[in-house]
């Protein structure tokens, strides 16, 4: 008896759940050899809007969590990735056409990067903030706070490492994220969403859209409830138009111009999505 394979349809990840695209659209993903691998949901404008609503709803609790707690949550993601590394190695090998050793190295680096960013959750404020000298009987303290909802166009040529490198930094300070995965290499992003769903990350903190960045990015750039947008993976798009669109709602924008190492681990990528709050406090006159 011949057994037929059951092809998987990868869905979106919005608000901690895995909905199909509201449009019902999907597209096929093929291996580097041209073999069918899976069907993937093709997100629409409505899906992007739903993801933004979910991210806004999760923002207060995530930003209000202690830095130590956020660090533990992010570290837990690395633990779960470690347990599913064989799956990610297989996906990267099939879609990127690299050797198993190269795919394994990418997974190792992605795990290490989660750990690296997890370690900054309770430290970045000490580095980016400061006590300001003032002429008077006051304390003047500057403290970094999250920007809010951050939209991300993930790198398009890296299925896992690029995705992790773009998503992790905004989470460190308490932002929530709506990310558009690589259109050609989306499987690791959705598999990572399955990891997030079984981790301690609250629903809505990370929302993953698959499909065409060219179609989705303009809606994210112009949406009034998105506070910042990272265009690190938008180098092949008309990102200048996206930047112009973002200015209408006074978004903070990170552009592809920042060079090929834009997605490398960096404290600057954490502080890029923070706002500085300055507090004055009267000194005790004892």
């Amino acid at each position: 008896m011949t057994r037929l394979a059951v092809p998987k349809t990868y869905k979106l990840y919005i608000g901690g759940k895995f909905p199909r695209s509201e449009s019902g659209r999907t597209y096929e993903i093929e291996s580097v050899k041209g073999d069918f691998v899976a069907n993937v949901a093709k997100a629409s404008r409505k899906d992007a809007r739903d993801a933004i609503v979910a991210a806004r709803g999760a923002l207060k609790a995530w930003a209000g969590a202690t830095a130590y707690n956020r660090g533990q949550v992010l570290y837990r993601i690395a633990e779960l990735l470690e347990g599913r590394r064989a799956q990610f190695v297989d996906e990267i090998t099939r879609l990127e056409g690299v050797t198993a050793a190269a795919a394994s190295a990418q997974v190792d680096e992605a795990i290490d990067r989660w750990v690296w960013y997890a370690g900054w959750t309770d430290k970045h404020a000490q580095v980016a903030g400061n006590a300001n000298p003032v002429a008077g009987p006051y304390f003047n303290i500057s403290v970094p706070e999250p920007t809010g909802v951050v939209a991300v166009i993930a790198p398009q040529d890296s299925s896992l490492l690029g995705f992790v490198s773009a998503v992790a930094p905004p989470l460190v300070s308490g932002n929530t994220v709506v990310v558009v995965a690589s259109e050609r290499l989306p499987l690791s992003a959705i598999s990572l969403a399955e990891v997030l769903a079984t981790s301690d990350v609250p629903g809505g903190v990370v929302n993953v859209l698959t499909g065409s960045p060219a179609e989705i990015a303009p809606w994210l750039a112009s949406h009034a409830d998105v506070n910042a947008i990272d265009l690190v993976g938008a180098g092949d798009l008309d990102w200048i138009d996206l930047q112009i669109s973002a200015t209408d709602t006074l978004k903070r924008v990170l552009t592809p111009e920042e060079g090929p190492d834009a997605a490398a681990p960096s404290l600057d990528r954490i502080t890029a999505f923070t706002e500085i709050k300055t507090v004055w406090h009267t000194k005790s006159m004892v």
Side-chain angles (χ1 to χ4, degrees):
M1 183 176 66
T2 301
R3 181 183 181 276
L4 297 177
V6 181
K8 182 172 181 177
T9 298
Y10 286 77
K11 302 180 180 66
L12 308 174
Y13 182 59
I14 299 175
K17 300 179 181 179
F18 292 92
R20 294 176 173 82
S21 171
E22 61 83 28
S23 66
R25 298 180 302 169
T26 62
Y27 66 105
E28 293 186 358
I29 297 298
E30 296 181 345
S31 71
V32 289
K33 297 179 180 180
D35 300 324
F36 172 81
V37 175
N39 295 304
V40 176
K42 190 170 186 178
S44 67
R45 176 185 181 181
K46 173 66 163 53
D47 296 318
R49 187 164 67 244
D50 290 344
I52 293 168
V53 170
R56 178 61 62 186
L59 179 62
K60 183 177 180 180
W62 182 244
T66 66
Y68 175 80
N69 180 249
R70 283 199 301 274
Q72 292 295 300
V73 170
L74 295 183
Y75 185 81
R76 177 60 177 159
I77 297 170
E79 291 180 334
L80 293 173
L81 269 174
E82 189 75 59
R84 294 178 59 168
R85 66 185 329 281
Q87 174 188 350
F88 287 96
V89 169
D90 178 65
E91 290 174 348
I92 293 169
T93 302
R94 295 174 72 187
L95 266 62
E96 295 189 22
V98 299
T99 64
S104 182
Q106 183 181 157
V107 175
D108 287 343
E109 192 170 353
I111 294 169
D112 292 346
R113 196 153 296 180
W114 273 117
V115 174
W116 193 86
Y117 278 114
W120 274 106
T121 54
D122 59 355
K123 301 175 183 67
H124 78 279
Q126 300 170 51
V127 177
N130 57 277
N132 308 308
V134 292
Y138 309 101
F139 291 114
N140 183 261
I141 302 171
S142 294
V143 181
E145 293 192 336
T147 296
V149 175
V150 177
V152 177
I153 308 301
Q156 297 296 295
D157 58 354
S158 175
S159 54
L160 179 63
L161 182 58
F163 185 88
V164 169
S165 301
V167 170
L171 299 177
V172 170
S173 61
N175 297 292
T176 54
V177 172
V178 176
V179 56
V180 183
S182 168
E183 182 174 13
R184 185 175 63 86
L185 310 169
L187 300 195
S188 290
I190 297 299
S191 292
L192 182 57
E194 293 174 355
V195 168
L196 296 175
T198 57
S199 73
D200 299 324
V201 178
V205 171
V206 180
N207 303 276
V208 182
L209 303 177
T210 51
S212 169
E215 178 182 343
I216 304 170
W219 302 119
L220 296 176
S222 63
H223 199 290
D225 210 24
V226 173
N227 303 107
I229 186 167
D230 185 356
L231 300 175
V232 63
D236 292 336
L237 306 181
D238 189 349
W239 58 266
I240 294 178
D241 274 358
L242 295 175
Q243 189 176 20
I244 292 171
S245 181
T247 62
D248 290 338
T249 50
L250 304 180
K251 286 182 181 60
R252 179 168 296 192
V253 180
L254 227 58
T255 72
E257 259 187 342
E258 299 187 54
D261 293 330
S266 168
L267 177 62
D268 289 340
R269 292 194 65 77
I270 298 173
T271 58
F273 302 108
T274 60
E275 307 289 344
I276 300 298
K277 179 177 74 175
T278 300
V279 179
W280 292 78
H281 192 279
T282 304
K283 290 182 180 179
S284 173
M285 301 302 290
V286 177

